[in-house]
Every structure is written in structure tokens, then in C-alpha cells.
Amino acid sequence: MMKKVLVKATFVITIILAILFQVSSYATEKSDKKSNVKISEGIYKIILADSPEKSVTIENESSSNGANVCIQKYNNNVNQLFKIKYDKEGYCEIIPVNSGKRIDIAGWGNGVNIEQWGENTTSDSQQFTMSKNEDETYNIIGKRQNLYLTADETSSENKINLIGNEKDEKKSQKFKLEKIETPENGRYKIVLANSKTKSVTVKNGKIENGVGIELNTYKDTAKQQYEIRYDSEGYCEIIPVHSEKRLDVCGWGNGVNIEQWTENNSTDSQKWTIIKNEKGNFNIISKRQNLYLTAQNSNSSNGTKIEGHEKNGENGQEFYLEKIESNKIIDEGTYKRFELNIETNNPLNLEDYPKKLKTLREKTGLEEAIACGTGKINGEDVVICIMDSGFLMGSMGAVVGEKITYSIEQAIRLKLPIIIFSVSGGARMQEGIISLMQMAKTTAALTKLDEAGLLYISVLTDPTYGGVTASFASLGDIILAEPGAMIGFAGQRVIEQTIGEKLPEGFQTAEFLLEHGFIDKIVRREDMKETLYKLICYNKGGQHNEK
């Protein structure tokens, strides 16, 4: 009898203990989950909490697999900066900026080395969580065996090794994360920090591959403006607005040329990291060999070559980035796009042309190289067309020609002025004679607009060339241009080779064309809306209100 009672009692106690264990495990798990935080992705320095002058560092600035990860005095070097990026499971990867590899728990058990290794998505050794403590410090915990990143207290003071250890309450497992400021996606001018009138410029505003980069006085032109665009790895591309190419490190080692080249995702030469340093300026650092964008010999004179160099701390590696805010021409909320569901029928039956168009539509969000519709400028109704160089360099094919013609016809129907912003390399060669026919088509439509007594303002931006210049862009009642815009039919080099003579300095610039009577006025982008508004009001014979 006693035996049966003991068996039952033991059974009941076992069940109770099992329940208590499960409740305890659930509470612990819930507590751990509450303490884990997801910090914003970006670039960080990871500082030892009780020694804020020391940070996690890739030893010897190595970019090799197996390089040791340690803690040393922070010197604002790229081997002391890390990108935090989350995977699909919600774990974060810690990516050294200098190498693009991953922080890796290189083994198992207490005291295991922390090293850098190439990305390995099949292993748990590169997956981490961040746990925030009440004192605002963080524990960095590996998915592998829940090992904590730990400063090895047995190391020397100048170089403390980073190891993996089980959790303890020591300060050696506590870190602070300081986010480094980086520019967001957008359009920027990039000027020398100690000479802010001198801007990083594509030489002579050319659009060809292999054109060098230099310093020149900033004149608010597209050849001096750059789109900063981040890829999935967190690197940015630096894209000259006028050419849609990429800044490219053309080789290796100190003094290497920086040039513009067509996008190439298979190379590290077009991947950049831009970080704000302790002086408040920006360093622009290539993924290739961690070479810094550098003004040759730290000069600031016009024509100074831009090169790639190792970090030297001189003024030539310090830049200031100013975001160029959108200067909207159309009043907020008034733009209505013309819905024209038309596509090219690929008249030359080129195999790659439809694929290229599809890729561009997905990449740019544009249907074609022009957007057309109606809107208001300070309350005045207009029809407006804006070409976009990001879509096959704003080239004019059948669809572009039809959209412009339709817009002109709508301006006639609605009795409204029309404004066309042009940026283009000319007629679209992939559509052969069909593209050239658009010149006559748009010109004929503008003749009807003129007969109706309606205003047409043509705005030429950088660059405007070829069949666009030779047709509608040159037929405005009033022709405006942006400062420094390159405008012509054939390029300067082609003309020189044809006539066998050297052309005058500044030939085909907006300033040269204004001097020779081809355009009516040069207008800065920030002044464009008010200028257009005044012209529309003057044309109506009425007064304008200062905005």
C-alpha cells in the first residue's frame, strides 16, 4: 500500500516539476525575446562600454578571410566601422566596411576566436542578435551556442582580442553602438570641404565611357550633380545625373584614375561607402582596396584631377555633400498625367530592345523617356512635358514623339500654354527612320499650336542634342536654358573632325548660345517656376503676383 502511495506521489511531483520547468522556460524565453531589439540598419562603430575610446576593429586593416577581430583605440578608420544588416530570419549580420565580409564565430565553446570570413548563409556562425540592457548598453549574441561577443581580459591593453563566451555579468560583454551618419538616397552636389565652391565634375560634361573626374567651380549643372543610390549590400553607387553612368575606380593602388563608366554590378570598382567623419565632413571610400576619393595633391584649383588614394587625412579627402532638393515646377497636387497606353512595336525587330525597355521601366518606374500632363504653376493652368535622361538618355522614339504631339493637341483643345523640358541624346537609333519621322511630326503639331495663337516655352537642360534640338526643342516662342547646359546637334568632336577646325571655347554651352542669340534667357533651377509663371502672365496680358 505504502509503495503504491509513493509511486503516485512521485508521479504527481514529476508532473508538477515538468509543468514548473515549462513555465520557467517559457518565462525565460519570453523575457529574452523582450530584451532582444532590432536596431536600424546602417553603419556603426561598436564601442567597448567601459572604454569608450576603444572600438571593435579588424586587425591590421586586413580584408582577408581569417583576419582577427580585436578591440583597439578608435582612429576613424574603415576597419573600425561595421554595417548592420538583417537576414530573412531576423538575425543581423555584422559586416566590416573595409572588407565586405562577415564577423564570424570561428568554432565552438568558451574562448572561441572571432574572425572575419566571407558570407556563408549555410552556417549559424555569422548570425547575431542584439540585446539591450537597462544601462543602454548592448550584448551581441551569436546564434551559435548563444555565445556572447566578449573582450578577452587576458589580452594586452593596446589590443584586446574579441572572443565568444557564455553569458556572464562582466562589463567585457557590454558594448555601445554609435551610428555613423551617411547620406540617404537622393541627388547631391559634392564639393571640397575646405573650398566649397569647387565641385566634383565630369570633365567637359561628356557622356562617354572613360571620361575623367576633376574639380571645377560649381555652376549648378547636371555634370556636377550625382544621384546617390544604395544597393542590396549597403554600398552606394555615385551616378552623374547627365550621363547615368557610374563613378569607377579604374585600376588599383595610389593615384588610380576615377572615371565614369557604364553600370557594372560584377565589379567592386563602382561600390562606395560615404561616411561622416569626426570633423563633420564626408569621406568617400571605394570598396576596392578602401581607396579614398582624393583631389590630387589636395589642390582646389579648377581642373584638379580626382584620384583614388589610401587614407592620408589630408584636405583632399574631405568632402561636403549638399542634397539638392526637388524644385517642383508644378503646384503640389495639381499634376494630372495623360493616360496614353502606347508602346513601341520594335520596328527594326531588334532582339534586345524590348528587354532593355522592360528593364528600364522596372528600374526607373517610367513608362518612357517623357512624362506629359496638365498642372498649375502658381495657379496658372499649363500643359507640361518633361523628358528624363534616365530612360535611354531621353532619346526620342515613336512613343516619345506621339506623347509630345498628343500634348500639343491637348494644349490646343484646352487653349493652354505648353512647356516642354528637354534633355536628350537625340533620335532613338533603335527605331531607325521611325524615330527621325518624329521630328517632322512634332514640328507640324507646333505649327498648329502657333496658328491657334498659344504660347510654347521650351526649356533646354543638360544635355540637349540631336533630333530633339533639330525639332521641337528649338521652336519655342521663348527658349530658356539651365546654366552650363550643353546644347547642339552633333557633338563638338564630330563637328571639329568634319570641318577640320578648332571650335571656340565654350561652344554649345548655354552661355555661348545666349551670347549668339540662340536662346532667350538662362534660368537657374530654383528660379524656374517663378520665371515660367511671369512669362505665362505676361503672355495673357495680365499682372502676376510675386510668390
Side-chain angles (χ1 to χ4, degrees), residues 337-355:
R337 186 179 66 174
F338 293 142
E339 297 294 342
L340 287 176
N341 298 316
I342 52 175
E343 294 184 6
T344 178
N345 61 3
N346 191 16
L348 301 183
N349 293 318
L350 298 175
E351 183 179 345
D352 292 336
Y353 183 41
K355 295 177 185 175

Side-chain angles (χ1 to χ4, degrees), residues 244 353 356-362 364-370 388-395 400 428:
E244 280 287 311
Y353 183 41
K356 183 174 285 188
L357 292 175
K358 183 175 183 293
T359 300
L360 282 168
R361 288 182 186 120
E362 292 172 351
T364 65
L366 301 170
E367 294 177 358
E368 251 292 347
I370 194 165
D388 195 308
S389 62
F391 198 104
L392 279 181
M393 200 49 219
S395 55
V400 171
R428 187 171 298 176

Side-chain angles (χ1 to χ4, degrees), residues 383-438:
V383 173
I384 188 166
C385 303
I386 301 176
M387 303 188 78
D388 195 308
S389 62
F391 198 104
L392 279 181
M393 200 49 219
S395 55
M396 178 169 64
V399 173
V400 171
E402 175 60 24
K403 288 193 172 189
I404 291 171
T405 302
Y406 179 84
S407 298
I408 296 168
E409 292 170 347
Q410 292 304 301
I412 296 170
R413 184 180 69 83
L414 298 168
K415 295 181 172 54
L416 294 177
I418 183 169
I419 302 165
I420 302 178
F421 283 79
S422 297
V423 56
S424 180
R428 187 171 298 176
M429 64 180 184
Q430 290 91 340
E431 296 186 23
I433 191 68
I434 300 297
S435 66
L436 297 176
M437 291 169 65
Q438 307 311 307

Side-chain angles (χ1 to χ4, degrees), residues 89-237:
E89 297 179 61
Y91 290 99
C92 70
E93 301 171 306
I94 305 174
I95 306 171
V97 167
N98 74 307
S99 67
K101 299 190 186 302
R102 303 295 189 271
I103 298 299
D104 191 296
I105 300 174
W108 288 263
N110 277 338
V112 63
N113 285 345
I114 306 299
E115 301 171 355
Q116 75 170 4
W117 285 88
E119 182 180 13
N120 183 357
T121 56
T122 64
S123 172
D124 61 358
S125 62
Q126 298 178 352
Q127 295 177 303
F128 295 88
T129 57
M130 302 282 182
S131 177
K132 193 171 186 179
N133 302 304
E134 291 181 356
D135 59 2
E136 299 296 313
T137 63
Y138 291 87
N139 297 122
I140 304 174
I141 309 159
K143 183 180 179 183
R144 176 171 288 181
Q145 295 184 308
N146 289 324
L147 294 174
Y148 283 58
L149 293 193
T150 306
D152 184 2
E153 296 175 336
T154 65
S155 304
S156 69
E157 185 176 346
N158 293 331
K159 187 193 79 174
I160 303 171
N161 285 326
L162 199 63
I163 59 175
N165 261 1
E166 293 176 356
K167 180 180 179 181
D168 61 37
E169 298 304 323
K170 295 180 180 178
K171 294 180 180 179
S172 58
Q173 291 185 342
K174 290 186 174 184
F175 297 89
K176 290 184 177 180
L177 303 177
E178 184 177 317
K179 193 168 188 179
I180 304 297
E181 184 176 338
T182 59
E184 59 187 9
N185 282 327
R187 181 177 294 192
Y188 292 83
K189 68 176 182 180
I190 304 172
V191 296
L192 206 58
N194 70 337
S195 185
K196 291 183 180 176
T197 61
K198 302 301 181 182
S199 168
V200 174
T201 306
V202 178
K203 189 173 183 179
N204 297 326
K206 294 183 177 180
I207 63 173
E208 296 90 351
N209 280 329
V211 177
I213 311 300
E214 62 184 18
L215 286 180
N216 259 305
T217 302
Y218 185 72
K219 293 183 178 178
D220 194 23
T221 64
K223 65 185 178 185
Q224 296 177 307
Q225 296 173 0
Y226 301 86
E227 289 287 339
I228 303 296
R229 189 181 298 164
Y230 288 87
D231 63 19
S232 58
E233 297 180 66
Y235 291 101
C236 69
E237 300 171 305

Side-chain angles (χ1 to χ4, degrees), residues 39-45 177-182 276:
I39 64 171
S40 62
E41 293 187 335
I43 296 177
Y44 290 82
K45 65 176 180 179
L177 303 177
E178 184 177 317
K179 193 168 188 179
I180 304 297
E181 184 176 338
T182 59
K276 197 168 191 178

Side-chain angles (χ1 to χ4, degrees), residues 322-340:
E322 181 178 325
K323 192 169 186 183
I324 300 170
E325 299 297 339
S326 173
N327 294 303
K328 293 183 178 178
I329 302 297
I330 297 298
D331 297 349
E332 193 73 36
T334 66
Y335 177 71
K336 294 181 181 178
R337 186 179 66 174
F338 293 142
E339 297 294 342
L340 287 176

